[in-house]
Amino acid sequence: MELSHEILRQVVLPTAAFYTPPACNADGGAAEPAETCWQDSLLNPKNRVDSLDFPQNPSWRIDGCIAHGTQFYAIPLFLSPTQPHRVDVFIPNQSAVTVPAGLRSVLDLSTAFYTRDTGVTRQLGITRHIVRCLQHWTAHSKEAWQYSRFPFGSRIVFHNIPVNVRDARISIAPTYHLERQMLSTRQLEIVWQDEGVELPPAIDISELHYKAQPHDSVSVVERDGKTLIFKAIASHTKYLYHELRHLLLVPPHPNVIQRPLHLVTKKCGFGSKVAVLGFTLPYHQHGTVRDHIPFLALHSKITHNDEVKWARQLVAALRHLRRTCRTFYSDLRLDNILLSDSFDLIMVDFEQRGVWSEFAAPEINAIECMRQLAMDDELPDATRVKYADLLTQLLPCWESLVEGEEYTWPGGQHGYNVAWQCLDEDEQESCEVYMLGRVLWCLFEAQSAPQRAAIWTSYKSEPTVGFPAYTRTPHEMRRLIDWCTEGRVPTLSSYIVRAGSKLVLRDLEASGTSTPEDVRNKAKSFWTERVAESERWVRKRIENRKMNHRGFGFPNRPSLAVIDTFLEAYANKL
């Protein structure tokens, strides 16, 4: 089954439980596509991409992609030095039905679905084609040269993906609405006046020069010869300001990213408002520990003592957040843990959006399953209302958290994560412990992620073993990890995996006999059962809360304090 946007509703998300395949033809089989005529065939020279070589002096560079291969981080080289205005390229949502298979293959559209690494992204056919289209557009259009005047976060929109770059229809979608959402430093001071928040100094975006764009919300920039991180979001500014407030309130800790160095501002096009676009943070050249662990272990550059030290540092950071801020950390995975020059771990990303279901605790996934179904506009009204009513009984204000993109106060005081706000502090800690157990497994097994061949992303070093199997973890640590992840259930990747740019049944991966119908049927079966289990769990939780029975449905996982004590005793024996 080729990777495309269709697989999200048909396979990856809980909506797969309600998916109905298209009607079959009279013979009982799926309708066959019409035979490709010579006029549309890729064998016809006029339908072939003439070249995918980068221009000799490219006007643009692509640093990565996201949104299942439809959003590309574009850096204008013809305006160097460039300020990080976060103007990305967006291409149409192409499916296997609307794009010929041959063209999909030439442009690596299915591979772009899961590719995140900068180096790999730049080698994709679609990346090279985009750069060539932009080259022609820049040379023949005045729009590109207005780059610095675009509202922050504007979009370069491709309305088609033609074979010939001269036929590309490209336009600018200015994001005036985004600048209207943004707040000034004075507005932030007023909103947080009773919070004890001390804002860092403000600098204009013109003082920052682009170096790289490794992530959709993270730019590597330079200011006065010093490399920094510029954190900004091109949509849903509520998450940006929530993280900013959080970082400004958290007392310093060696394993938590330090407070922002500057607020980055820009004068908006309307109303002359000087808006806060984002903030700067210290730059750590090694990046996330995710890509280093397998390499370090392979070359014997990491010791067991290092792994234990890192485990203790993560627990110390989590306990620090709980003691000083009484808040939760919902984004615990290797992608959000940096490796410092001193070989220590540093936790980042405090937007509190949460992690993908494969990383999250089963209790969070149960509530999140209800939320996704309650918000899906393509489901029947009765179905959506059913799950929305359950959520309302758990958290009466949940709809106010998911509506709109703007930052609200005090409504957003505790963030905008519905599932986590349905839990009390002890239950939140239990879910943190579950994620911690998965991260500890990665550390001691020297793997970049808990699952191999993840559907939504690829890694520089793909995992060679999957959680909860063990190959190198000491027995005492295995017991701790199993304790932390008590209550775990099989995930979708237990049954369906990515083989190259296709989804296949895990059991049929080696034989190569898996079909799209097999994958859809397995996904429907998996999600039908998982949705039913989630609904039962939520209903029982509602009833137990009415009777004031706290802690229902949560396994007896250890607290962070117990884990800390365990690791200290374990380290003393080494």
Side-chain angles (χ1 to χ4, degrees):
M1 186 176 189
E2 285 285 341
L3 291 172
S4 67
H5 274 68
E6 280 65 32
I7 73 159
L8 298 178
R9 294 186 55 79
Q10 297 177 16
V11 177
V12 179
L13 300 176
T15 51
F18 304 90
Y19 174 71
T20 301
C24 296
N25 58 30
D27 297 327
E32 293 292 331
E35 183 178 347
T36 302
C37 64
W38 173 250
Q39 191 68 17
D40 299 324
S41 172
L42 287 179
L43 296 178
N44 188 332
K46 80 176 185 65
N47 295 325
R48 298 177 190 170
V49 177
D50 62 347
S51 175
L52 289 176
D53 292 336
F54 285 119
Q56 187 172 359
N57 295 301
S59 299
W60 297 81
R61 186 184 80 219
I62 300 296
D63 277 6
C65 69
I66 200 173
H68 312 300
T70 61
Q71 178 180 349
F72 292 78
Y73 316 146
I75 313 297
L77 303 179
F78 63 97
L79 294 176
S80 180
T82 309
Q83 286 76 50
H85 286 279
R86 295 300 294 111
V87 179
D88 289 347
V89 167
F90 289 77
I91 67 173
N93 172 10
Q94 300 293 317
S95 70
V97 177
T98 59
V99 178
L103 185 58
R104 285 183 63 86
S105 176
V106 168
L107 297 182
D108 303 313
L109 291 180
S110 294
T111 304
F113 185 94
Y114 61 84
T115 299
R116 299 291 178 271
D117 178 70
T118 297
V120 178
T121 298
R122 288 177 179 165
Q123 298 307 313
L124 296 176
I126 184 61
T127 300
R128 293 168 172 268
H129 198 50
I130 287 173
V131 170
R132 291 175 61 83
C133 288
L134 290 176
Q135 187 85 359
H136 183 270
W137 176 65
T138 304
H140 296 84
S141 168
K142 295 180 180 179
E143 277 190 307
W145 295 89
Q146 304 299 313
Y147 180 91
S148 60
R149 298 184 182 181
F150 298 154
F152 182 83
S154 292
R155 301 180 172 194
I156 301 174
V157 179
F158 277 56
H159 298 277
N160 63 340
I161 303 181
V163 171
N164 193 318
V165 298
R166 293 185 292 274
D167 296 328
R169 291 185 288 111
I170 302 173
S171 66
I172 297 296
T175 53
Y176 297 114
H177 70 282
L178 181 63
E179 291 195 344
R180 284 195 292 267
Q181 291 176 24
M182 292 176 173
L183 304 177
S184 67
T185 54
R186 180 56 183 157
Q187 288 174 307
L188 290 177
E189 288 173 341
I190 293 173
V191 167
W192 297 333
Q193 59 185 339
D194 298 325
E195 293 291 295
V197 174
E198 182 180 346
L199 297 180
I203 60 174
D204 190 79
I205 192 172
S206 62
E207 298 183 43
L208 304 180
H209 296 156
Y210 244 136
K211 293 189 71 175
Q213 187 72 40
H215 188 271
D216 65 320
S217 63
V218 174
S219 307
V220 181
V221 297
E222 187 176 90
R223 179 178 184 261
D224 295 336
K226 183 177 181 180
T227 302
L228 301 170
I229 290 296
F230 171 43
K231 177 68 183 283
I233 297 175
S235 67
H236 292 82
T237 54
K238 59 187 182 183
Y239 295 110
L240 173 74
Y241 296 129
H242 176 66
E243 179 177 27
L244 173 61
R245 172 182 170 272
H246 189 86
L247 290 176
L248 293 175
L249 288 175
V250 174
H253 189 277
N255 305 114
V256 175
I257 192 69
Q258 73 182 70
R259 65 180 272 124
L261 303 174
H262 314 91
L263 298 182
V264 179
T265 62
K266 176 181 180 291
K267 187 175 181 179
C268 297
F270 293 96
S272 298
K273 176 177 65 176
V274 179
V276 175
L277 307 177
F279 49 88
T280 65
L281 294 167
Y283 172 68
H284 293 275
Q285 61 178 338
H286 299 303
T288 69
V289 72
R290 181 197 70 192
D291 295 328
H292 292 288
I293 287 179
F295 175 84
L296 293 172
L298 179 65
H299 296 278
S300 301
K301 294 182 179 293
I302 182 175
T303 67
H304 185 57
N305 284 350
D306 291 324
E307 296 167 344
V308 175
K309 179 191 75 171
W310 288 347
R312 297 186 66 186
Q313 288 177 345
L314 290 178
V315 174
L318 291 170
R319 294 193 70 192
H320 174 74
L321 296 175
R322 291 218 148 266
R323 283 196 301 260
T324 60
C325 302
R326 297 189 66 181
T327 189
F328 58 87
Y329 185 71
S330 59
D331 303 84
L332 187 55
R333 55 194 177 108
L334 291 184
D335 305 63
N336 293 329
I337 303 171
L338 303 181
L339 185 64
S340 73
D341 288 339
S342 58
F343 224 54
D344 295 311
L345 299 189
I346 301 175
M347 288 171 50
V348 297
D349 193 350
F350 291 86
E351 295 177 18
Q352 293 186 326
R353 296 200 199 203
V355 294
W356 185 254
S357 61
E358 299 274 337
F359 295 87
E363 303 81 34
I364 290 292
N365 286 339
I367 302 173
E368 184 63 12
C369 180
M370 300 294 98
R371 185 197 65 80
Q372 290 179 355
L373 296 174
M375 295 182 63
D376 193 292
D377 292 335
E378 296 187 33
L379 291 178
D381 289 345
T383 302
R384 289 190 293 106
V385 169
K386 169 186 174 182
Y387 297 117
D389 286 346
L390 288 175
L391 275 182
T392 300
Q393 294 180 64
L394 276 181
L395 189 68
C397 68
W398 77 271
E399 288 181 285
S400 67
L401 299 180
V402 299
E403 292 173 346
E405 300 183 4
E406 299 89 350
Y407 183 69
T408 57
W409 185 266
Q413 183 175 5
H414 302 293
Y416 301 91
N417 192 307
V418 171
W420 282 80
Q421 290 198 37
C422 289
L423 310 179
D424 61 34
E425 289 187 12
D426 289 341
E427 293 167 341
Q428 290 173 350
E429 182 174 349
S430 178
C431 292
E432 286 178 331
V433 166
Y434 182 91
M435 292 187 295
L436 175 66
R438 304 267 284 186
V439 170
L440 294 182
W441 181 90
C442 293
L443 290 180
F444 289 101
E445 286 296 317
Q447 302 295 326
S448 56
Q451 262 80 38
R452 176 181 61 82
I455 295 172
W456 62 92
T457 190
S458 59
Y459 304 98
K460 284 185 178 180
S461 177
E462 287 287 342
T464 55
V465 62
F467 177 85
Y470 294 102
T471 59
R472 66 192 295 273
T473 304
H475 288 288
E476 284 188 74
M477 292 309 305
R478 295 185 186 189
R479 288 197 296 271
L480 175 64
I481 293 170
D482 287 342
W483 190 12
C484 290
T485 57
E486 191 171 321
R488 61 180 180 257
V489 295
T491 58
L492 182 65
S493 62
S494 301
Y495 308 100
I496 297 172
V497 297
R498 175 176 53 79
S501 60
K502 294 184 178 181
L503 294 186
V504 299
L505 294 187
R506 181 179 289 274
D507 291 344
L508 300 179
E509 182 180 11
S511 66
T513 57
S514 178
T515 67
E517 185 180 10
D518 292 334
V519 173
R520 278 191 285 264
N521 288 341
K522 175 58 72 173
K524 186 178 183 69
S525 173
F526 171 85
W527 282 115
T528 298
E529 182 178 347
R530 188 53 47 86
V531 168
E533 292 172 350
S534 299
E535 182 180 345
R536 285 194 294 271
W537 187 90
V538 168
R539 289 186 181 279
K540 287 182 179 179
R541 177 172 179 78
I542 292 171
E543 291 303 315
N544 277 268
R545 280 211 156 183
K546 288 178 179 178
M547 296 183 288
N548 204 30
H549 293 168
R550 298 286 174 174
F552 160 79
F554 281 78
N556 185 30
R557 298 176 190 133
S559 66
L560 291 171
V562 169
I563 298 172
D564 199 7
T565 301
F566 179 98
L567 290 173
E568 181 181 12
Y570 182 83
N572 290 337
K573 292 188 294 185
L574 295 178

